[in-house]
Amino acid sequence: MIEDVGVSFRQLDRTLHQLLYKKEFDIKGIIFGQFYPLDPRDEQRLIYKSVIKRFAEQVNKPVYYYPFIGHGRKNKPVLLGNVTIKCDNKSAYCTLSQPGITTKN
């Protein structure tokens, strides 16, 4: 799981490129949380999303982007351990769930 605030989209892009070139990149998948500022403009949200999308197209691992994980105004907790991600071909979005955690919007 990766999330951070105060990181520019260029810094995020460089970091993700380093992961692509790492020889021992033995993971099952990556979950991205929030990277954009606390009160972002739409173009700020989109630039971070495009950096993550470009990385997802290059890595041969499942990538999940959920910007409500992190240090934003809405912060959904994720306990490290048993996380299930389900994706449906009929939807552009996936769901993230954990036993014992109920989320309310």
Side-chain angles (χ1 to χ4, degrees):
M1 179 165 31
I2 304 172
E3 61 85 21
D4 202 352
V5 292
V7 173
S8 74
F9 69 91
R10 289 181 179 95
Q11 290 171 310
L12 175 60
D13 188 52
R14 281 192 301 270
T15 300
L16 295 179
H17 271 87
Q18 290 174 2
L19 288 178
L20 286 173
Y21 298 123
K22 187 168 173 55
K23 291 184 181 184
E24 294 182 24
F25 192 48
D26 189 26
I27 59 168
K28 292 184 180 182
I30 302 169
I31 301 172
F32 286 96
Q34 180 176 335
F35 284 91
Y36 49 76
L38 194 56
D39 292 315
R41 298 182 313 275
D42 285 341
E43 55 270 8
Q44 288 174 306
R45 279 192 211 100
L46 290 174
I47 193 76
Y48 284 94
K49 186 176 178 180
S50 68
V51 168
I52 292 168
K53 182 178 179 184
R54 188 172 44 240
F55 171 78
E57 292 167 350
Q58 296 176 19
V59 69
N60 192 21
K61 304 288 182 182
V63 174
Y64 182 79
Y65 174 54
Y66 190 67
F68 296 114
I69 298 170
H71 296 88
R73 293 199 190 282
K74 291 184 179 181
N75 187 348
K76 307 281 183 172
V78 174
L79 302 177
L80 300 179
N82 191 8
V83 177
T84 302
I85 299 173
K86 293 183 181 180
C87 301
D88 182 354
N89 291 338
K90 298 175 187 173
S91 175
Y93 300 99
C94 299
T95 60
L96 184 143
S97 61
Q98 292 183 274
I101 294 181
T102 304
T103 59
K104 295 181 181 179
N105 293 332

